[in-house]
């Protein structure tokens, strides 16, 4: 049966499509489903430009970059020239450091969602961590609390991709338990003497700047004794070595040692003892970025499986003709689509809430959303590997994305807060909000009774 798009459009039928139109291969609003009001023409334009860049510059190269363990700096510089890097550092657009947005409009969180979602189509956690590991988590503390001199030195060079920054919090004995870090910074006159170790630091091997969580107070001070310092690679005593991990090879996971590094007191970010609050204040945004990347990785697993199942034959028919394969695809689709709907709903709250309100209300939500995204990713990676069979066990070739993503599930599930910690945080935060709401209701009832 032939369909005339013009006639359907006259009838009021949505025929606005984008992409390859593989079933569930893109978010619903790409596939002629009605836009819930989140997106306008600027979002569509950004979607098209990022997809074109991914197809031309990234998609065919990520396997080689993974094998080589590094992404060419000029790729990030090209992304910078498209005006995309400042969007990854949060809102608002940092015009005081890079001028007006070259895209011609003030980007919102849905523009950022589109950037992560489209770039993640390459199916490489290494590429995505390499991009966001500095911009999304390393730069924001400098952007918000750095001294004017530090901002002028660091921010423009990072947004132009001439320099690389990373966040150095995790240590061999302190991961999600940030308050237990042991790296020390002792103030001695006009500098801090920095000693300690950091582990699993994304981009650390390539970084020019390190936003480092240090202990300026005693261990007994816990979170109140933590500060942030901007450390520069050129400072004597900074040593980095690349770590061999299961996945995200091209993002440069690093072990860092600081041996009597003299850091000028001017490189203190914010106030001494205020580091923990600064770290926590950026976690919602970091987890949002992780969620956006991760759910597209799940979608990539599903779409690759669908395309493969349509051409691979077993027992005289294509895989897609087998009930069990369609069941696997349906399970992946329902999980990915429902998770994306939650992701969009959370993005809308980020977009419309006051910063303080979002910090208060969305901590538990983004924590639970991160768990949802990574668990769905784990399921989709497994089922995609089953559909691809031996091809999912081979680096390169038809199963390239599935093989790579299967190795990178834990890289999304652990950083930014492990699943167990996120589940606990989600419940605790939700209970606090409920208690606050109950107190407000009680206060309103008392006020009403006095009238």
């Amino acid at each position: 049966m032939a369909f005339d798009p013009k006639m359907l459009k006259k009838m009021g039928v949505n025929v606005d499509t984008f992409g390859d139109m593989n079933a569930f291969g893109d978010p619903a609003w790409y596939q002629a489903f009605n836009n819930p009001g989140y997106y306008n023409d600027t979002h569509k334009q950004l979607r098209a430009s990022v997809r074109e860049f991914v197809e031309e510059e990234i998609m065919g190269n990520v396997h080689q970059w993974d094998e080589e363990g590094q992404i060419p700096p000029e790729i990030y510089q090209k992304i910078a020239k498209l005006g995309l890097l400042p969007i990854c550092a949060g809102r608002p657009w940092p015009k005081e450091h890079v001028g007006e947005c070259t895209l011609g409009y003030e980007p919102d969180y849905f523009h950022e969602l589109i950037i992560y979602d489209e770039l993640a189509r390459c199916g490489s956690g290494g590429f995505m961590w390499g991009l966001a590991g500095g911009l999304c988590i390393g730069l924001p503390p400098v952007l918000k609390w750095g001294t004017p001199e530090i901002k002028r030195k660091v921010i423009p060079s990072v947004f132009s991709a001439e320099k690389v920054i990373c966040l150095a919090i995790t240590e061999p004995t302190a991961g999600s338990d940030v308050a237990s870090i042991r790296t020390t910074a002792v103030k001695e006159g006009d500098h801090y003497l920095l000693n300690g170790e950091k582990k699993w630091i994304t981009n650390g091997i390539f970084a020019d700047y390190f936003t480092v969580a240090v202990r300026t107070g005693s261990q007994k001070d816990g979170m109140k004794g933590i500060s942030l310092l901007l450390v520069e690679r050129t400072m004597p005593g900074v040593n980095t070595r690349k770590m061999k991990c299961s996945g995200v090879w091209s993002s440069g996971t690093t072990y860092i040692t600081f041996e009597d590094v003299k850091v000028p007191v001017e490189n203190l970010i914010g106030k001494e003892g205020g580091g923990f609050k600064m770290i926590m204040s950026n976690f919602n945004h970091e987890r949002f970025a992780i969620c956006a990347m991760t759910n597209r990785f799940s979608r990539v697993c599903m779409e690759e499986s669908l395309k493969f199942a349509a051409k691979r034959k077993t027992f005289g028919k294509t895989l897609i003709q087998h009930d069990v394969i369609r069941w696997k695809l349906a399970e992946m689709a329902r999980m990915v689509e429902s998770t994306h709907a939650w992701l969009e709903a959370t993005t809308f709250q980020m977009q419309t809430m006051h910063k303080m309100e979002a910090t208060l209300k969305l901590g538990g939500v983004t924590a639970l959303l991160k768990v949802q995204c990574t668990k769905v990713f784990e399921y989709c990676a497994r089922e995609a590997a089953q559909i691809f069979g031996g091809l999912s066990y081979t680096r390169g070739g038809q199963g390239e994305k599935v093989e790579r993503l299967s190795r990178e599930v834990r890289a999304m599930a652990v950083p930014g807060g492990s699943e167990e910690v996120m589940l606990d945080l989600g419940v605790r935060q939700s209970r606090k909000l409920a208690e606050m709401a109950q107190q407000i209701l009680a206060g309103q009832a008392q006020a009403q009774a006095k009238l």
Side-chain angles (χ1 to χ4, degrees):
M1 181 179 179
F3 291 96
D4 182 353
K6 291 182 179 179
M7 181 187 72
L8 291 173
K9 197 169 184 178
K10 285 182 180 180
M11 295 169 59
V13 177
N14 187 345
V15 293
D16 187 11
T17 61
F18 180 84
D20 297 335
M21 294 306 294
N22 293 312
F24 306 106
D26 280 309
W29 71 284
Y30 288 41
Q31 302 197 332
F33 279 71
N34 293 334
N35 181 351
Y38 301 145
Y39 307 101
N40 57 38
D41 287 342
T42 65
H43 299 102
K44 293 179 181 180
Q45 292 163 9
L46 181 65
R47 176 182 66 179
S49 63
V50 178
R51 177 154 296 201
E52 181 181 7
F53 181 81
V54 170
E55 292 293 338
E56 292 182 357
E57 302 282 354
I58 300 175
M59 194 70 80
N61 297 315
V62 286
H63 174 68
Q64 179 182 344
W65 297 338
D66 218 43
E67 296 294 320
E68 294 174 350
Q70 184 172 1
I71 299 158
E74 55 267 26
I75 293 297
Y76 291 134
Q77 290 165 11
K78 287 181 180 180
I79 297 175
K81 288 179 180 177
L82 291 176
L84 305 185
L85 296 190
I87 300 177
C88 300
R91 307 284 77 72
W93 178 269
K95 61 182 178 181
E96 65 272 28
H97 303 292
V98 295
E100 296 291 340
C101 180
T102 55
L103 297 173
Y105 51 82
E106 177 69 23
D108 60 27
Y109 284 110
F110 284 100
H111 290 102
E112 186 175 2
L113 172 59
I114 288 170
I115 290 173
Y116 294 137
D117 189 52
E118 283 293 326
L119 289 175
R121 289 181 58 251
C122 68
S124 169
F127 177 81
M128 296 306 298
W129 276 118
L131 172 71
L135 290 165
C136 188
I137 61 177
L139 187 62
V142 176
L143 190 61
K144 296 173 184 175
W145 296 290
T147 64
E149 294 76 15
I150 289 295
K151 288 180 179 180
R152 283 194 292 270
K153 181 177 183 177
V154 175
I155 295 172
S157 63
V158 171
F159 278 145
S160 65
E162 295 299 323
K163 299 286 186 179
V164 175
I165 192 169
C166 72
L167 181 68
I169 296 178
T170 305
E171 298 180 1
T173 58
S176 295
D177 185 9
V178 177
S180 295
I181 66 167
R182 298 179 181 178
T183 295
T184 60
V186 180
K187 195 172 183 179
E188 296 183 354
D190 62 353
H191 67 270
Y192 288 94
L193 194 63
L194 174 63
N195 283 281
E197 301 170 304
K198 297 293 179 178
K199 194 174 184 181
W200 299 293
I201 306 304
T202 302
N203 276 344
I205 200 74
F206 313 124
D208 303 286
Y209 304 114
F210 307 80
T211 300
V212 185
V214 299
R215 182 161 295 287
T216 49
S218 70
Q219 202 71 31
K220 292 181 180 179
D221 291 330
M223 65 182 70
K224 295 180 181 179
I226 295 175
S227 303
L228 292 181
L229 291 178
L230 181 79
V231 179
E232 302 173 46
R233 177 173 291 277
T234 54
M235 295 175 177
V238 177
N239 299 290
T240 60
R241 62 179 174 84
K242 194 169 184 178
M243 297 176 65
K244 293 183 178 181
C245 300
S246 297
V248 295
W249 297 342
S250 58
S251 66
T253 308
T254 307
Y255 196 104
I256 307 173
T257 57
F258 301 112
E259 298 178 3
D260 292 331
V261 181
K262 291 184 177 181
V263 183
V265 293
E266 293 81 13
N267 283 34
L268 177 69
I269 300 172
K271 295 181 179 180
E272 192 170 293
F276 188 82
K277 288 184 178 179
M278 287 185 277
I279 293 167
M280 293 299 110
S281 72
N282 196 53
F283 266 142
N284 285 359
H285 183 248
E286 175 186 353
R287 289 165 188 156
F288 159 73
I290 293 173
C291 290
M293 300 172 198
T294 303
N295 204 49
R296 174 55 86 161
F297 289 158
S298 300
R299 196 183 291 278
V300 167
C301 289
M302 188 204 64
E303 184 180 18
E304 290 295 302
S305 299
L306 178 65
K307 292 189 292 187
F308 180 72
K311 63 181 180 181
R312 166 70 166 163
K313 288 188 175 182
T314 61
F315 305 104
K317 54 185 178 181
T318 58
L319 287 179
I320 197 70
Q321 292 176 301
H322 293 281
D323 294 355
V324 68
I325 300 299
R326 293 197 300 274
W327 179 85
K328 289 177 182 292
L329 292 167
E331 285 288 278
M332 286 192 273
R334 73 173 180 82
M335 292 183 185
V336 170
E337 288 301 313
S338 57
T339 303
H340 195 85
W342 191 6
L343 176 58
E344 287 183 322
T346 303
T347 307
F348 179 73
Q349 299 307 317
M350 293 171 61
Q351 183 63 31
T352 55
M353 283 182 178
H354 184 277
K355 176 67 175 176
M356 181 185 69
E357 182 185 10
T359 300
L360 176 67
K361 292 182 178 179
L362 298 183
V365 172
T366 52
L368 294 179
L369 178 59
K370 180 180 182 292
V371 177
Q372 173 71 10
C373 289
T374 56
K375 282 184 174 290
V376 169
F377 180 29
E378 184 169 17
Y379 179 87
C380 290
R382 182 200 183 280
E383 293 302 284
Q386 290 299 108
I387 292 173
F388 271 84
L391 292 173
S392 70
Y393 194 64
T394 308
R395 296 221 301 261
Q398 291 185 74
E400 172 200 325
K401 291 180 182 177
V402 173
E403 184 275 330
R404 181 169 55 242
L405 289 173
S406 294
R407 288 187 280 106
E408 296 182 340
V409 171
R410 298 268 67 78
M412 309 308 288
V414 176
S418 66
E419 289 178 352
E420 292 77 10
V421 174
M422 292 297 93
L423 288 167
D424 180 61
L425 175 63
V427 173
R428 286 190 290 108
Q429 290 289 92
S430 298
R431 286 188 64 197
K432 285 182 181 179
L433 286 175
E435 290 170 0
M436 289 175 61
Q438 289 167 0
Q439 292 171 3
I440 292 171
L441 284 173
Q444 291 175 341
Q446 290 176 359
Q448 187 68 29
K450 291 178 181 180
L451 296 178

